[in-house]
Amino acid sequence: MAKHRINPDDCIACTTCVAHCPVTAATRKFRGPKMLGPALERFRISEEDYEPSLEYCSNCKNCDLSCPSGVPVSTLNMLAKAAYYKKNPQSMRDHMLSHGENMAKMVNAIPFGAALANVGMHNPVSRAAMKQIGISDKAPMPTYAATSFVSWFKSQKQTPSEEKVVFFPGCFINYNQPQVGKDLVAVLQHNGIEVIVPEEFVCCGSPLVTGGYLDEAESNARKNAAEIAKWAAKGYKILTACTSCGLMLNQEYQELFPAIEGLAQNALSLYDAFEFLAERAAEGKLKTDFAPVQEHFMYHVPCHLRVQGIGLPALTLLRQIPGLSIEEADAGCCGISGNYGFRDEKYEISMAVGAELFQRIKDSGVKTVVCDCGTCRLQIGHGSGAATAHPVSILRKAYQL
């Protein structure tokens, strides 16, 4: 397949994307998705051009979601950023935030590395030092788990089954919140499904793309695409439990890397974990031996789930649990957008973007907010003070596993 450019002339200049952009609403430093995406792309086709305010695009995808012409505006922004950084060096801060998988591997290679890193990241002295390189001293930094999900998984003995699925854990679940992966394995095993976690998978590349490291992201995409194709050819479905990973593997690879063969075919075998579970439920294949869960939750829909157009499968399934009450927040973006809110100059913007959601949670009085995205959960806990959980953890609780 030959490389091609997304056609900016598909944009009809209606400004719907501007009206739905949470960053445009939060700061005048960003000139808006229409101007920086399709409008400037018309000039970039013929000559190099870079608009500094492009740095304020969070890649939240609300512009893509709202565009009536289907223009992937955010992808145009990310491609423009990548073109700029091919000739201009990134900062140490951006290198660190874009290479989370490498950082986590280094932590795991050191005895007691996770504990040492967590202490190092969460004390006033180190936070002050991090601020000096551009990482906010107020942002909610994730902690590392003592044992990665993949390491835990290799030690597990599952009940064998003819029905199998492949799980792509992603960096956040693997290194920061492996309990989410453990809960998913437990739920799938309870439903008679064996789980395969190939060690060949690497970071989906989402943080690399937002940091401008497009060539590295493409290298990761080629590795993951080859592994996905291998399992898809055997008839296996490939699941994700992080909405940003799912979006990257399923949709963004096709937009960013059209030269990679087979991406559209791969997408037919890629499923969000709850999309897969909801499909089984619709077919009468999902166990419903739920114990009552007498709790009230709020559910936040990640932007990267909404743009996939698969509905709200987690919310639909959780509402089938007896005793459980759950309401949709319906209060916009949380503001974190991966590691956008970790950047010192973006922190206040990210908090302004998420302000409506934080207030909605506080006004509701709920103690726990359910969300499919790991960094959204970090931001929600930070901004609202509520506890957070992945929906698969609530499902496992209902199964009493």
Side-chain angles (χ1 to χ4, degrees):
M1 180 187 295
K3 288 190 176 182
H4 65 274
R5 297 185 73 100
I6 297 165
N7 185 4
D9 290 332
D10 288 341
C11 169
I12 59 173
C14 68
T15 71
T16 301
C17 61
V18 179
H20 286 84
C21 175
V23 177
T24 301
T27 179
R28 291 184 176 272
K29 295 178 180 179
F30 184 48
R31 295 181 64 191
K34 178 176 73 73
M35 175 62 70
L36 298 181
L40 280 184
E41 184 66 12
R42 295 183 177 98
F43 293 98
R44 290 190 289 254
I45 288 173
S46 58
E47 61 181 271
E48 289 187 18
D49 189 6
Y50 186 73
E51 164 57 49
S53 80
L54 182 59
E55 292 295 327
Y56 286 89
C57 173
S58 69
N59 201 35
C60 69
K61 302 289 182 181
N62 279 286
C63 51
D64 299 27
L65 183 64
S66 63
C67 178
S69 302
V71 179
V73 181
S74 62
T75 297
L76 288 172
N77 290 345
M78 293 304 105
L79 290 171
K81 180 186 283 191
Y84 174 79
Y85 281 120
K86 277 193 173 184
K87 297 182 179 180
N88 297 274
Q90 286 100 327
S91 66
M92 179 190 298
R93 184 274 309 274
D94 287 349
H95 182 86
M96 290 174 62
L97 293 179
S98 298
H99 294 81
E101 182 180 47
N102 292 349
M103 300 286 290
K105 285 181 176 179
M106 287 191 288
V107 166
N108 277 17
I110 302 170
F112 306 107
L116 293 171
N118 291 337
V119 170
M121 286 196 304
H122 294 89
N123 70 77
V125 175
S126 60
R127 292 305 296 262
M130 291 163 69
K131 185 176 176 65
Q132 292 301 308
I133 65 169
I135 297 176
S136 173
D137 58 349
K138 299 176 184 177
M141 302 303 291
T143 56
Y144 290 108
T147 303
S148 71
F149 168 75
V150 171
S151 295
W152 170 85
F153 183 81
K154 287 191 290 187
S155 68
Q156 300 306 297
K157 291 185 178 180
Q158 298 183 71
T159 302
S161 173
E162 289 187 6
E163 186 171 8
K164 298 176 176 64
V165 295
V166 173
F167 176 45
F168 180 96
C171 301
F172 196 84
I173 290 175
N174 190 25
Y175 296 110
N176 301 108
Q177 292 187 356
Q179 189 59 50
V180 173
K182 296 176 185 180
D183 292 343
L184 179 60
V185 171
V187 166
L188 292 170
Q189 278 276 279
H190 184 65
N191 280 278
I193 302 168
E194 190 175 348
V195 183
I196 300 167
V197 181
E199 292 188 57
E200 289 78 9
F201 281 140
V202 294
C203 172
C204 70
S206 182
L208 292 168
V209 169
T210 56
Y213 296 88
L214 196 66
D215 288 344
E216 290 183 55
E218 182 170 359
S219 176
N220 281 17
R222 289 184 180 278
K223 292 174 185 176
N224 289 329
E227 190 65 18
I228 290 167
K230 182 180 78 175
W231 293 103
K234 298 178 181 179
Y236 294 116
K237 293 178 179 178
I238 297 91
L239 311 186
T240 59
C242 167
T243 51
S244 295
C245 289
L247 177 66
M248 192 73 187
L249 299 174
N250 199 338
Q251 180 176 318
E252 289 185 282
Y253 277 2
Q254 296 185 63
E255 295 172 355
L256 292 163
F257 312 119
I260 300 178
E261 298 286 347
L263 293 177
Q265 186 64 33
N266 280 357
L268 300 176
S269 298
L270 286 161
Y271 286 76
D272 173 84
F274 270 87
E275 179 188 17
F276 170 77
L277 293 171
E279 183 179 277
R280 288 184 66 84
E283 296 170 351
K285 296 179 180 178
L286 187 76
K287 288 188 177 180
T288 56
D289 52 336
F290 302 128
V293 176
Q294 303 294 343
E295 293 185 57
H296 178 61
F297 300 108
M298 182 169 283
Y299 178 69
H300 170 67
V301 187
C303 299
H304 287 179
L305 173 63
R306 290 190 298 116
V307 76
Q308 292 182 60
I310 59 173
L312 306 179
L315 184 62
T316 300
L317 271 184
L318 292 185
R319 282 179 168 160
Q320 297 180 24
I321 298 173
L324 187 148
S325 169
I326 186 165
E327 58 182 303
E328 184 185 343
D330 193 22
C333 179
C334 77
I336 193 70
S337 291
N339 56 43
Y340 182 87
F342 297 165
R343 292 165 163 78
D344 196 36
E345 75 278 13
K346 312 283 181 27
Y347 172 76
E348 296 297 343
I349 296 172
S350 77
M351 294 301 288
V353 169
E356 182 182 352
L357 173 63
F358 306 149
Q359 194 60 50
R360 170 87 169 88
I361 294 166
K362 292 174 183 177
D363 291 345
S364 73
V366 297
K367 295 180 179 179
T368 302
V369 179
V370 179
C371 180
D372 314 69
C373 173
T375 52
C376 285
R377 293 195 296 275
L378 275 180
Q379 177 83 333
I380 289 167
H382 175 66
S384 72
T388 60
H390 191 286
V392 78
S393 302
I394 306 301
L395 191 59
R396 180 179 185 176
K397 181 177 182 179
Y399 278 135
Q400 295 187 313
L401 302 175

